[in-house]
């Protein structure tokens, strides 16, 4: 009997121990943390660091520039690149200040469209010393040290000037022009690559035409307002002395067209007009018969810039010069082409 009660007691105590064990709370810390920690580490592997690109734009002087800014901003977002964008307000010192602030913020890569060609060496040396690669877009810099930038993406402005003059040469007779042609030239921003190169390219082709003469040449700063102003003053003094207007961009041509109409002349007929960019505004003017030809200069550099920024940071080799593919749009093609234009 005694044996029996001892066995029951043992059975009850064992039952108690098992039920207590079953009710016990999960063990904290030590034993459970190790596997949990390693699982967490696998799941939260550090996300890939976003590339930070500092971009110093020239300003907002033209339809072209607005399209260029939009292209850069949209393509940075698509590429998952964090863009620090500064509008240089047409001032070199603002662009230099922006580049210095990008260096101070330790961005991964700097890109900019230099307002003018000269005066960049010091700030570019600072970027180089900080180990930050620099990509030039749209406009070139004039430097002896090409190691200060990794690549330059943009148009061949000399070729654009040649294309403008070649188009004139091929179409002059059809447009009723004689051998002797008086040309007014609206130049872009003084000292900028497109102003220098578009003049060079045009004048190079002019050598084939001894009767062509640039009788007026002045900057209109790539803006519609200044293009109009300059044209107004020329028409006051030289209304009968002009056959052709060659404008370094569409905006200046569009401003000049207003001045020509206000002076009682018919743009596109009394004065043959050629400009550069091929923005939508130029196509509309061509369809209206007020502009005769626009040579293309594409502002859609954003996608290429983002890819190159990624390649440079990944250590891949990139070409030192990447030239944009472009065409020439005479007025006759404008109505068909306008629906295809992206800018
Ligand atoms: O550098 C490109 C030039 O700058 C474009 O032709 C002009 O429209 C712009 O402002």
């Amino acid at each position: 009997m005694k044996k029996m009660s001892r066995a029951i007691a043992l059975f009850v105590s064992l039952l108690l121990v098992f039920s207590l064990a079953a009710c016990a709370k999960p063990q904290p810390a030590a034993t459970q943390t190790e596997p949990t920690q390693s699982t967490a580490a696998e799941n939260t592997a550090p996300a890939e660091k976003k590339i930070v690109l500092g971009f110093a734009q020239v300003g907002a002087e033209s339809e072209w520039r607005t399209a260029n800014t939009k292209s850069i901003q949209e393509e940075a977002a698509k590429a998952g690149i964090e863009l620090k964008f500064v509008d240089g307000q047409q001032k070199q010192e603002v662009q230099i200040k922006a580049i210095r602030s990008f260096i101070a913020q330790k961005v991964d890569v700097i890109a900019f469209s230099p307002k003018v060609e000269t005066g960049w060496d010091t700030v570019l040396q600072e970027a180089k010393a900080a180990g930050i690669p620099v990509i030039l877009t749209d406009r070139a810099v004039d430097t002896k040290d090409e190691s200060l930038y990794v690549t330059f993406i943009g148009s061949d402005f000399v070729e654009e000037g040649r294309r403008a003059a070649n188009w004139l040469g091929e179409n002059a007779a059809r447009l009723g022009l004689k051998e002797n042609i008086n040309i007014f030239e609206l130049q872009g921003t003084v000292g900028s690559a497109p102003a220098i190169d578009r003049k060079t390219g045009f004048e190079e082709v002019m050598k084939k035409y001894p009767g062509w003469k640039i009788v007026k040449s002045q900057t209109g700063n790539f803006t519609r307002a200044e293009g109009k102003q300059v044209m107004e003053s020329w028409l006051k003094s030289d209304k009968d002395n002009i056959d052709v207007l060659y404008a370094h961009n569409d905006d200046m041509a569009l401003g000049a067209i207003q001045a020509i109409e206000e002076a009682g002349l018919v743009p596109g007929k009394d004065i043959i007009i050629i400009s550069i960019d091929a923005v939508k505004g130029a196509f509309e003017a061509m369809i209206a018969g007020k502009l005769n030809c626009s040579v293309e200069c594409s502002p859609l550099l954003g996608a290429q810039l983002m890819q190159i920024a990624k390649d440079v940071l990944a250590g891949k080799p990139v070409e030192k010069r990447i030239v944009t593919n472009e065409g020439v749009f005479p007025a006759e093609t404008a109505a068909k082409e306008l629906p295809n234009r992206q800018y």
Side-chain angles (χ1 to χ4, degrees):
M1 190 62 194
K2 248 189 189 170
K3 264 189 190 167
M4 178 99 131
S5 46
R6 242 189 256 142
I8 290 170
L10 185 64
F11 177 71
V12 169
S13 356
L14 279 173
L15 208 65
L16 203 68
V17 167
F18 281 127
S19 22
L20 277 174
C23 292
K25 281 189 187 159
Q27 294 274 330
T31 51
Q32 282 195 5
T33 47
E34 250 184 37
T36 312
Q37 266 181 0
S38 76
T39 311
E42 278 157 25
N43 294 342
T44 57
E48 217 176 279
K49 195 185 152 285
K50 248 190 171 188
I51 292 174
V52 181
L53 164 69
F55 188 90
Q57 181 59 288
V58 175
E61 73 281 5
S62 61
E63 212 178 310
W64 189 100
R65 189 65 55 195
T66 307
N68 180 245
T69 293
K70 188 167 171 266
S71 166
I72 288 160
Q73 289 173 335
E74 285 179 357
E75 294 298 335
K78 273 195 219 162
I81 289 180
E82 185 184 329
L83 178 68
K84 292 184 183 293
F85 183 90
V86 173
D87 178 338
Q89 299 158 30
Q90 291 285 338
K91 293 185 186 115
Q92 183 176 30
E93 60 274 22
V94 175
Q95 287 192 295
I96 290 177
K97 202 172 154 204
I99 295 170
R100 292 211 164 108
S101 92
F102 297 149
I103 297 170
Q105 291 172 72
K106 299 185 167 44
V107 300
D108 299 306
V109 53
I110 293 171
F112 77 114
S113 177
K115 185 198 166 198
V116 290
E117 283 191 335
T118 54
W120 301 100
D121 279 43
T122 307
V123 75
L124 291 179
Q125 276 152 7
E126 290 167 26
K128 189 179 174 185
I132 303 175
V134 173
I135 300 169
L136 301 177
T137 74
D138 164 37
R139 298 185 182 180
V141 297
D142 185 359
T143 179
K144 287 200 177 83
D145 183 359
E146 291 205 338
S147 75
L148 295 178
Y149 63 91
V150 279
T151 182
F152 165 36
I153 323 163
S155 309
D156 180 342
F157 297 137
V158 177
E159 182 55 26
E160 289 172 352
R162 286 188 201 114
R163 286 178 182 158
N166 278 325
W167 180 85
L168 180 62
E170 286 154 20
N171 292 275
R174 175 180 72 81
L175 296 165
L177 296 166
K178 306 269 179 310
E179 245 175 65
N180 292 332
I181 299 178
N182 282 350
I183 302 166
F184 282 18
E185 179 188 34
L186 269 172
Q187 290 190 42
T189 303
V190 175
S192 70
I196 296 167
D197 294 352
R198 287 171 184 168
K199 185 172 185 53
T200 304
F202 194 91
E203 289 180 350
E204 187 188 301
V205 174
M206 273 182 75
K207 289 182 192 141
K208 290 197 289 188
Y209 301 96
W212 294 13
K213 196 169 160 205
I214 295 184
V215 289
K216 293 274 180 197
S217 186
Q218 196 177 317
T219 182
N221 233 344
F222 283 129
T223 70
R224 211 170 277 213
E226 285 181 65
K228 180 169 189 261
Q229 248 171 39
V230 174
M231 195 67 199
E232 275 167 358
S233 82
W234 282 343
L235 289 171
K236 275 184 197 141
S237 57
D238 286 272
K239 198 171 170 175
D240 302 322
N241 200 20
I242 169 169
D243 300 307
V244 169
L245 171 68
Y246 167 45
H248 287 191
N249 83 341
D250 290 338
D251 280 74
M252 292 188 295
L254 295 172
I257 285 170
Q258 282 178 31
I260 293 167
E261 287 179 318
E262 284 168 20
L265 295 174
V266 183
K269 290 193 179 64
D270 294 334
I271 300 172
I272 301 303
I273 306 172
I274 311 156
S275 60
I276 297 180
D277 277 356
V279 294
K280 279 186 182 166
F283 278 79
E284 284 153 7
M286 286 195 278
I287 291 168
K290 299 176 181 186
L291 176 68
N292 303 87
C293 179
S294 186
V295 174
E296 188 178 34
C297 175
S298 176
L300 306 178
L301 302 173
Q304 235 175 349
L305 170 61
M306 301 312 146
Q307 189 52 55
I308 286 163
K310 286 183 178 177
D311 289 351
V312 167
L313 293 171
K316 294 186 188 163
V318 293
E319 298 283 331
K320 196 74 189 176
R321 176 74 171 105
I322 299 166
V323 182
T324 319
N325 267 337
E326 291 153 344
V328 176
F329 296 97
E332 299 69 40
T333 64
K336 191 169 166 250
E337 284 297 329
L338 180 59
N340 308 323
R341 302 304 291 168
Q342 289 177 60
Y343 55 92

